[in-house]
Amino acid sequence: MLRVAVVGSGPSGVYTAQALVQQTAVPGVRVHVLDRLPCPYGLVRYGVAPDHEKIKSLQGSLRAVLEDERVSFLGDVEVGARGLTPAALLELYHAVVYCVGAARDRRLGVPGEELRGCFSATEFVSWYSAHPDSARDAFALDGPAAVVVGAGNVAVDVTRLLVRRAAELAPTDVPQGALEALAASGVRHVHMVARRGPGQAKFTTKELRELGALPETRVLVDPAELALDPAYGDPAALPAVNRRNLEVVRGWAADGGAPAPRDIRLRFFLRPVEILGADGRVTAVRFERTEPDGEGGVRGTGRYEEIAAGLVLRAVGYRGRALPGLPFDPARGTVPHEEGRVLRDGAVSPGEYVAGWIKRGPTGVIGTNRHCAKETVEALLADAPALARRRVAADPGARLRELGHTPVPWTGWLAIERAEAALGRSLGRERVKIPDWEGLRAAAREA
Ligand SMILES: Cc1cc2nc3c(=O)[nH]c(=O)nc-3n(C[C@H](O)[C@H](O)[C@H](O)COP(=O)(O)OP(=O)(O)OC[C@H]3O[C@@H](n4cnc5c(N)ncnc54)[C@H](O)[C@@H]3O)c2cc1C
């Protein structure tokens, strides 16, 4: 038997487990999927926006893998905590695959980021997704204006959530506190601001178009900013996704629609240079106008503009976090690897593998992690004869408990699901997420 630990139960971890048990070349593979949270699914539960029901429903297919009899879920087990170092883990399993994601946010690196009212999109997403690490319960939603810095799908997600009405979110599983705060929000104007033009923006067209379909909201684009885009005259030169984005944005520039209670302004060619404040609170963002530099980037023009806002969310990308005891490339924010085999000082480290965002960086859609996991599992299976000869502890679960970990088993997660359904019923909603560690652990114990 080959015993494999997969660290992380997000898409890459679950796809790794799936590829390991569905193959036939190496029989007798058993997989333990460990997660530091009592709940599975990683960013599918704690990142994908609550109003994206179709993508959220991917949890159903991930669930089927975790319910396979050859796979065991061990929640509330953090690798790196309580003596469970990568070296200790390697004594328990023939192979370990790290699928720990890359959910640390990037900073803007401008003065004023510490002001009250300036947050990372990650903090905002964690709050409305009920991540138990979310430390915030207030987001300067007294309005009327917010600035979202960024031009990717996460920027689009948080922009959309800021203008959604409570009635649209109540049928989702957003935690009650976030629902009530968003219902009371005074934010009416959201400025989504990008350093470059729509021809280079990273959002996907489907996400972008959704902004135009939001009830009681219109989308405004300044035609003069579009005209700055090098592709404006000749979109044919762009990759298909950017060409489609440009078409959508041009449509809004030509016709912003009728006045509506809320608006989203898409702004381009502006880079933040300072967050301005008074009495410790954000009051505006100062931007420098940029222009194309002819090489696909932008350069500053020395002209400045301020946008008044009480809330600033930065959505300028993610990067991985070093896991003590595991090699880490700080420049790329990933674990160095060769086809998924972890490299220590440039040499393959027997038994250690990596998949997902921590392997390739925060790129692609959920399905990209499936291919990524497959490559890693192919490498692992090719190494299987040598891995099976490694001496490992007879009962990893017992060793975890000796170290002070109390894994939440799959039945514990099912109990959390039941508790969330009961909470929903008590609030007249379908299902409501439990937002804190204590509540999740107490619910899991009911199993
Ligand atoms: C806000 C946001 C919205 C997104 N929306 C979409 C979308 O709509 N559609 C789409 O296709 N993609 C979307 N994505 C991208 C998608 O979520 C990622 O591609 C995917 O989640 C990456 O999978 P992963 O398994 O590598 O990492 P994650 O999903 O981050 O999973 C990592 C897991 O590892 C666990 N972990 C971390 N450290 C440890 C440790 N030390 N010990 C044990 N466990 C640990 C974490 O708790 C987590 O469960 C979104 C991403 C973000 C950030």
Side-chain angles (χ1 to χ4, degrees):
M1 186 189 289
L2 195 71
R3 251 186 1 233
V4 182
V6 170
V7 184
S9 64
S12 63
V14 178
Y15 291 139
T16 297
Q18 184 178 39
L20 280 167
V21 295
Q22 280 187 351
Q23 53 78 37
T24 51
V26 179
V29 177
R30 293 289 179 274
V31 184
H32 282 183
V33 179
L34 279 48
D35 204 293
R36 60 180 292 272
L37 299 176
C39 311
Y41 311 136
L43 285 170
V44 181
R45 177 171 159 96
Y46 288 114
V48 171
D51 58 341
H52 275 175
E53 295 89 358
K54 199 163 163 221
I55 302 168
K56 283 279 186 204
S57 70
L58 268 175
Q59 292 181 33
S61 54
L62 301 181
R63 174 189 199 104
V65 177
L66 294 175
E67 288 188 330
D68 187 294
E69 59 185 8
R70 295 158 293 182
V71 178
S72 307
F73 173 71
L74 282 74
D76 208 354
V77 177
E78 177 166 357
V79 175
R82 294 204 188 101
L84 189 60
T85 60
L89 200 54
L90 213 46
E91 289 172 9
L92 307 185
Y93 296 92
H94 295 108
V96 181
V97 188
Y98 289 91
C99 303
V100 292
R104 206 177 89 197
D105 57 88
R106 289 175 184 271
R107 295 184 72 82
L108 296 173
V110 302
E113 269 186 275
E114 72 295 342
L115 288 168
R116 276 201 317 283
C118 179
F119 306 95
S120 69
T122 315
E123 287 173 287
F124 191 60
V125 170
S126 293
W127 170 68
Y128 68 61
S129 303
H131 195 294
D133 282 349
S134 172
R136 308 254 171 216
D137 54 10
F139 273 91
L141 293 169
D142 33 345
V147 163
V148 176
V149 181
N153 281 343
V154 176
V156 177
D157 277 352
V158 298
T159 296
R160 202 179 59 249
L161 265 288
L162 281 172
V163 298
R164 279 259 188 237
R165 294 160 313 166
E168 296 160 48
L169 292 174
T172 73
D173 60 6
V174 288
Q176 188 66 10
L179 180 70
E180 285 167 11
L182 288 167
S185 164
V187 175
R188 295 286 175 270
H189 314 288
V190 183
H191 306 263
M192 192 175 111
V193 190
R195 217 162 37 91
R196 301 193 291 172
Q200 293 91 40
K202 292 203 167 126
F203 30 64
T204 48
T205 314
K206 187 168 163 284
E207 291 252 351
L208 182 64
R209 272 207 192 102
E210 254 182 280
L211 296 180
L214 292 169
E216 296 183 11
T217 304
R218 69 171 170 167
V219 183
L220 300 163
V221 177
D222 180 353
E225 287 186 346
L226 285 199
L228 284 171
D229 200 297
Y232 186 69
D234 179 20
L238 288 173
V241 56
N242 302 86
R243 193 166 62 233
R244 286 194 298 267
N245 287 345
L246 193 58
E247 277 163 19
V248 172
V249 174
R250 281 170 87 159
W252 287 327
D255 177 12
R262 300 174 193 215
D263 55 64
I264 297 169
R265 271 171 210 273
L266 301 190
R267 302 295 313 271
F268 296 100
F269 295 106
L270 289 172
R271 75 168 165 222
V273 291
E274 187 173 359
I275 316 289
L276 305 172
D279 302 326
R281 270 200 68 162
V282 170
T283 53
V285 186
R286 185 170 151 87
F287 291 93
E288 181 179 14
R289 165 69 62 201
T290 62
E291 62 184 12
D293 63 4
E295 291 167 17
V298 287
R299 61 176 165 240
T301 60
R303 297 197 310 278
Y304 296 89
E305 172 177 339
E306 285 174 18
I307 301 180
L311 171 68
V312 177
L313 297 177
R314 55 172 198 272
V316 290
Y318 286 85
R319 53 183 283 107
R321 189 192 303 271
L323 182 62
L326 198 66
F328 188 69
D329 176 349
R332 299 191 63 230
T334 53
V335 171
H337 72 96
E338 201 176 81
E339 293 169 350
R341 295 178 177 95
V342 170
L343 297 175
R344 288 186 181 270
D345 300 322
V348 167
S349 171
E352 292 185 304
Y353 301 83
V354 70
W357 271 15
I358 195 63
K359 171 184 171 188
R360 61 174 204 283
T363 57
V365 291
I366 289 168
T368 318
N369 298 295
R370 187 193 285 273
H371 305 288
C372 182
K374 194 163 170 273
E375 181 195 58
T376 297
V377 168
E378 276 168 12
L380 191 157
L381 294 173
D383 301 343
L387 296 174
R389 286 196 292 275
R390 295 190 55 248
R391 287 172 65 87
V392 293
D395 182 355
R399 182 72 190 121
L400 289 176
R401 285 188 289 278
E402 271 169 33
L403 287 171
H405 294 270
T406 314
V408 167
W410 186 250
T411 49
W413 159 244
L414 296 180
I416 292 173
E417 280 194 316
R418 284 195 299 276
E420 292 190 337
L423 179 59
R425 277 194 302 277
S426 74
L427 293 163
R429 296 173 56 197
E430 197 172 317
R431 178 190 155 102
V432 173
K433 277 176 166 174
I434 298 172
D436 60 297
W437 281 99
E438 211 179 301
L440 290 170
R441 284 179 176 146
R445 278 195 297 273
E446 291 299 312

